[in-house]
């Protein structure tokens, strides 16, 4: 269990609002007015360290070493989280997230372009080949008109 979070209940206290006495409202018992309050301690979630995403980018998409840098910051964020430094962990996790986003976008763009550009070239080459064959047939027909047998 995380040492930063305690499951022990907090003591309930009665704190008087003011020193002077108020007259009792109808239906309310007389005497000093006190308010019972409950303090709810909402622990903040520990920051995400993005270690799995960083490992993925390091192994499969280490473009410009962004995956390596993201992995280093993810490990630092995990170390800070284990020590209990939540602000340091958030700072390192934020940097790891930025490098992971950059690596993912660049790799996605690279994969997209490596698929689309060859397909466009193949498609364009096919059009060029057919236009070349059609032009050659036309030229051949023209040459037979001018230089054909009579």
């Amino acid at each position: 269990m995380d040492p930063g979070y305690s499951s022990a209940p907090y003591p309930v206290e009665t704190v008087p609002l003011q020193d002077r006495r108020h007259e009792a409202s109808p239906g309310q018992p007389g005497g000093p007015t006190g308010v019972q309050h409950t303090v709810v301690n909402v622990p903040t979630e520990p920051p995400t360290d993005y270690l799995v995403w960083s490992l993925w980018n390091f192994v499969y998409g280490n473009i410009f070493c962004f995956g390596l840098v993201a992995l280093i910051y993810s490990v630092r964020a995990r170390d800070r989280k284990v020590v209990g430094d939540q602000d340091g962990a958030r700072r390192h996790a934020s940097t790891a997230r930025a490098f992971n986003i950059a690596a993912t976008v660049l790799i996605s763009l690279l994969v997209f372009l490596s698929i689309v550009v060859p397909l466009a070239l193949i498609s364009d080459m096919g059009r060029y080949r057919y236009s070349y064959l059609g032009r050659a047939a036309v030229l051949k027909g023209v040459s037979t008109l001018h230089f054909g047998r009579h």
Side-chain angles (χ1 to χ4, degrees), residues 78-108:
R78 178 152 298 183
D79 290 345
R80 294 283 95 204
K81 185 167 59 170
V82 168
V83 170
D85 181 13
Q86 299 296 319
D87 291 333
R90 276 191 195 87
R91 207 172 45 251
H92 289 304
S94 174
T95 306
R97 181 175 180 246
F99 278 107
N100 278 324
I101 289 171
T104 302
V105 166
L106 288 174
I107 287 299
S108 300

Side-chain angles (χ1 to χ4, degrees), residues 23 28 35 73 85 111 128 134 138:
E23 293 182 19
Q28 300 256 340
V35 175
Y73 277 103
D85 181 13
V111 168
Y128 176 74
V138 169

Side-chain angles (χ1 to χ4, degrees), residues 120-136:
L121 289 176
I122 290 170
S123 172
D124 194 40
M125 206 163 47
R127 273 193 247 128
Y128 176 74
R129 184 174 143 204
Y130 289 127
S131 68
Y132 176 76
L133 291 176
R135 188 173 39 201

Side-chain angles (χ1 to χ4, degrees), residues 36-37 53 57 63 77 94 100 107 110 139 148-149:
Q36 182 179 0
H37 63 87
W53 190 11
N57 280 329
I63 188 164
S94 174
N100 278 324
I107 287 299
L110 185 69
L139 290 176
R149 294 184 206 165

Side-chain angles (χ1 to χ4, degrees), residues 9-62:
Y10 288 100
V12 178
E13 299 177 15
T14 303
V15 179
L17 291 176
Q18 297 175 350
D19 287 338
R20 59 183 186 191
R21 296 184 182 262
H22 294 283
E23 293 182 19
S25 300
Q28 300 256 340
T33 59
V35 175
Q36 182 179 0
H37 63 87
T38 304
V39 175
V40 178
N41 186 12
V42 180
T44 60
E45 285 188 29
T48 306
D49 54 16
Y50 305 108
L51 188 64
V52 175
W53 190 11
S54 299
L55 281 169
W56 179 269
N57 280 329
F58 177 66
V59 173
Y60 294 110
N62 198 11

